[in-house]
Amino acid sequence: MPTDGVCAPIAELRDRALDRCSRWFPCLADPARRSSLVLKVALVALHLVYAGILFSFDEDLIENTRRQPWYIALYLLLFVAALIQYFITAGSSPGYVLDAMKAYNEANSLFIRSPTASKHPASSKNGSLTVTVDINQSGRNSLGSSSWSKMVMEFYPLGTSIRTMTCSYCNIEQPPRAKHCHDCDKCVLQFDHHCVWLGTCIGQGNHCHFWWYIFEETALCLWTGILYITYLKTSISGAWWKDLIMILLLISLVVLFIFLLLLLLFHSYLVLTNQTTYELVRRRRIPYLRGLPENVFPFSKGVCRNLYRFCCAQSTIYDMERLPTAFEVEEKLRPYTCLDVLTCRCC
């Protein structure tokens, strides 16, 4: 009883402090957002620890900074750019199916009302938002359909049931390559994976940002490792505890660099073949990929066009791709000839 009497005021003060923090910072009230915020703070602190210890211990580096300021200026520029790219990627939308459906319905209503709609059958604009969909094989445009369901069905082979493409959680029809994310509780276009460190999904809207973030982190990790090695070569006979700290940090940097480099190469391969991590790992469980040969990438348009769509396509475009026909699959299976190389079939 005495223990409860002593702890009760402390618990009351703790509850008041938590309530006040929740009012001042609403993001701390949600456990998911709170854990995402903790991860962001931990990642920024990790960057500051590696760079801070390096500049604190390496006196030669500070001296070189005075003689060659451009070298450290470029390093700090990459350091800041990597952190900025991290927050840009974390705050960007992966492209949700629900948002695409709303944009399609608004564009469709404007398309029907507009007297010049027939002059622009491939796209419709609503302010700064552009909704673009592919034209199916028969040449009909999806914007001419009366509902989202009819438009989505045109991306699937004939005979496909609406039940097989309807999300049981969101209760909306999913276009090909979309998947429901249980962490975000939303369906994502071109779902790649849910990144815990970023606190968001990687999909059509932010996959390019994600690739650039990995690239900058890999370059930063490599450059920092080189600076650590340079310090150990020149100051290995100094204080033993400094050398021990630098060696342990260098080992962790090597592990991080290997992981980031493999991740960068893996996502570069996905970009060149127009695949996603989910499609590559779960290919045999995805209905629209299950019957295709393993060496066929159904959504690939060639290396150059895949790169162009990945790097240069506007993030405001909801680009939904239809499944290839049997004839197109046979074309992708056909081996390359000298004529195909000359005509850049692979591009």
Side-chain angles (χ1 to χ4, degrees):
M1 289 296 294
T3 304
D4 295 339
V6 173
C7 294
I10 298 176
E12 186 177 354
L13 290 174
R14 182 195 62 190
D15 295 337
R16 287 181 181 178
L18 290 175
D19 292 339
R20 188 171 298 175
C21 289
S22 299
R23 288 195 300 269
W24 289 349
F25 305 99
C27 61
L28 298 178
D30 186 6
R33 297 179 66 182
R34 185 167 59 242
S35 118
S36 175
L37 181 62
V38 170
L39 287 174
K40 288 180 175 63
V41 172
L43 187 135
V44 174
L46 193 64
H47 283 72
L48 295 177
V49 166
Y50 279 105
I53 289 179
L54 178 64
F55 281 93
S56 300
F57 289 178
D58 196 348
E59 297 178 358
D60 294 336
L61 181 62
I62 299 176
E63 186 65 26
N64 291 334
T65 304
R66 297 171 182 173
R67 294 197 302 264
Q68 298 177 332
W70 59 269
Y71 183 78
I72 299 302
L74 288 177
Y75 174 78
L76 294 177
L77 181 63
L78 179 62
F79 182 89
V80 174
L83 289 178
I84 292 176
Q85 188 65 40
Y86 169 77
F87 285 104
I88 289 176
T89 309
S92 59
S93 171
Y96 297 112
V97 176
L98 187 61
D99 294 337
M101 183 178 67
K102 292 178 180 178
Y104 165 79
N105 290 334
E106 293 176 2
N108 192 29
S109 61
L110 289 176
F111 177 81
I112 295 174
R113 295 174 188 173
S114 176
T116 59
S118 59
K119 297 181 181 180
H120 304 282
S123 64
S124 177
K125 294 185 178 180
N126 181 17
S128 61
L129 178 64
T130 304
V131 181
T132 301
V133 292
D134 292 339
I135 298 175
N136 60 8
Q137 190 178 9
S138 61
R140 295 176 301 167
N141 193 293
S142 300
L143 286 174
S145 301
S146 59
S147 67
W148 169 263
S149 301
K150 292 182 180 180
M151 189 272 292
V152 170
M153 288 191 65
E154 292 187 354
F155 296 122
Y156 288 92
L158 294 176
T160 304
S161 173
I162 296 183
R163 292 184 179 180
T164 60
M165 66 182 75
T166 302
C167 176
S168 57
Y169 300 95
C170 300
N171 197 27
I172 58 176
E173 289 76 18
Q174 295 178 337
R177 314 190 74 181
K179 182 187 177 296
H180 184 86
C181 176
H182 295 280
D183 296 289
C184 298
D185 197 24
K186 292 181 180 180
C187 291
V188 179
L189 293 168
Q190 292 187 24
F191 175 83
D192 190 88
H193 71 284
H194 182 88
C195 184
V196 178
W197 281 100
L198 291 168
T200 185
C201 278
I202 305 300
Q204 182 189 88
N206 59 359
H207 198 178
C208 185
H209 294 300
F210 179 73
W211 188 93
W212 279 110
Y213 168 66
I214 299 174
F215 175 80
E216 292 172 6
E217 282 287 7
T218 305
L220 179 63
C221 191
L222 176 62
W223 199 339
T224 307
I226 293 174
L227 293 177
Y228 269 69
I229 293 173
T230 304
Y231 167 81
L232 291 174
K233 283 183 178 180
T234 57
S235 307
I236 193 65
S237 58
W240 66 270
W241 59 274
K242 289 185 178 180
D243 295 339
L244 179 61
I245 292 175
M246 296 294 281
I247 290 172
L248 292 176
L249 290 178
L250 179 60
I251 293 173
S252 62
L253 269 175
V254 172
V255 175
L256 287 173
F257 172 74
I258 294 175
F259 171 75
L260 288 170
L261 182 61
L262 293 176
L263 188 63
L264 179 65
L265 293 175
F266 174 71
H267 278 273
S268 299
Y269 167 75
L270 294 179
V271 171
L272 294 176
T273 55
N274 197 6
Q275 297 185 87
T276 63
T277 302
Y278 173 70
E279 290 173 346
L280 184 64
V281 175
R282 300 296 182 92
R283 185 181 179 103
R284 296 184 179 180
R285 297 181 59 181
I286 301 175
Y288 58 83
L289 295 178
R290 191 182 303 156
L292 298 178
E294 293 290 335
N295 59 339
V296 171
F297 310 124
F299 302 104
S300 177
K301 304 295 188 299
V303 174
C304 295
R305 277 175 285 185
N306 290 340
L307 281 174
Y308 174 78
R309 295 183 63 181
F310 182 79
C311 300
C312 303
Q314 298 180 4
S315 59
T316 54
I317 295 178
Y318 296 104
D319 189 8
M320 291 166 281
E321 303 171 83
R322 63 177 178 82
L323 291 173
T325 62
F327 175 77
E328 291 172 339
V329 173
E330 292 179 1
E331 283 293 314
K332 292 178 182 293
L333 284 171
R334 183 168 58 86
Y336 289 98
T337 61
C338 296
L339 182 61
D340 293 330
V341 175
L342 292 176
T343 57
C344 298
R345 176 190 162 199
C346 59
C347 297

